[in-house]
Amino acid sequence: MQYSTKKLAYFILFLSIALSIWLLEEFIPRPMPWIKFGFSYIVILLGMVYFGIRWGFALAIMRTFLGSLIMGKLLSSGFILSFAGTVAAIAAMSLLFPLRNKLFSLIGISIAGAFTHIATQFIVAGLLFYRLDALIWLLPISSIWTVVSGTLVGIITEYI
């Protein structure tokens, strides 16, 4: 498959922006340790719009991998949770993306991605690191956060 130099340059630009936002969010104080805004998903959603679903998927995977590598967290428990959540979120968003402007807006797709991300992290954490029943009580507050952050990310993406 042949890719144009211009498309690759824009992809790298999108990746750089998504990675920069992801890294900056690491230094923003969080209301709870596992909760982030997920503003880098703005760039990933835009990547899905401009480049297509596969390239958006590549943006998300590369952002998580490179960000963890830069932060020295590659293959840590945090990386495993982040990577699992990212893969699940981008898969959910990719399934809904063809229904964009028919049944779902970018806001709805963003909320679905945010919720899938946190739910997957809970499942993986429960299976690998903790007892799932010990974590389940955190899901309601996390779900509220995903709706808020997913909505905010979706609104910003729609606006751009």
Side-chain angles (χ1 to χ4, degrees), residues 24-37:
L24 284 173
E25 275 192 303
E26 287 292 312
F27 299 104
I28 295 174
R30 303 174 188 192
M32 292 180 208
W34 66 92
I35 290 182
K36 286 173 66 172
F37 277 102

Side-chain angles (χ1 to χ4, degrees), residues 69-160:
L69 183 65
I70 292 167
M71 293 299 291
K73 298 179 180 181
L74 190 62
L75 302 180
S76 68
S77 58
F79 168 77
I80 292 168
L81 294 174
S82 179
F83 190 77
T86 297
V87 169
I90 196 71
M93 293 184 336
S94 295
L95 289 172
L96 298 177
F97 199 76
L99 301 173
R100 186 175 132 240
N101 298 330
K102 296 175 188 124
L103 293 175
F104 296 99
S105 65
L106 287 176
I107 298 167
I109 293 169
S110 176
I111 292 169
F115 183 78
T116 304
H117 189 103
I118 197 72
T120 301
Q121 286 187 323
F122 272 91
I123 292 167
V124 172
L127 293 173
L128 297 180
F129 307 114
Y130 307 101
R131 289 187 4 246
L132 190 55
D133 61 334
L135 294 174
I136 206 74
W137 67 274
L138 297 170
L139 195 56
I141 190 75
S142 297
S143 297
I144 292 168
W145 181 260
T146 62
V147 171
V148 171
S149 66
T151 301
L152 188 57
V153 165
I155 288 170
I156 293 169
T157 306
E158 287 274 2
Y159 182 75
I160 293 174

Side-chain angles (χ1 to χ4, degrees), residues 14-75:
F14 274 56
L15 178 59
S16 300
I17 294 168
L19 183 58
S20 297
I21 293 169
W22 192 85
L23 290 169
L24 284 173
E25 275 192 303
E26 287 292 312
F27 299 104
I28 295 174
R30 303 174 188 192
M32 292 180 208
W34 66 92
I35 290 182
K36 286 173 66 172
F37 277 102
F39 287 132
S40 65
Y41 275 101
I42 294 167
V43 181
I44 291 165
L45 278 169
L46 288 172
M48 292 174 77
V49 170
Y50 292 115
F51 302 117
I53 293 171
R54 289 187 320 190
W55 286 67
F57 203 101
L59 273 172
I61 298 300
M62 292 175 74
R63 178 220 54 199
T64 304
F65 180 80
L66 292 172
S68 295
L69 183 65
I70 292 167
M71 293 299 291
K73 298 179 180 181
L74 190 62
L75 302 180

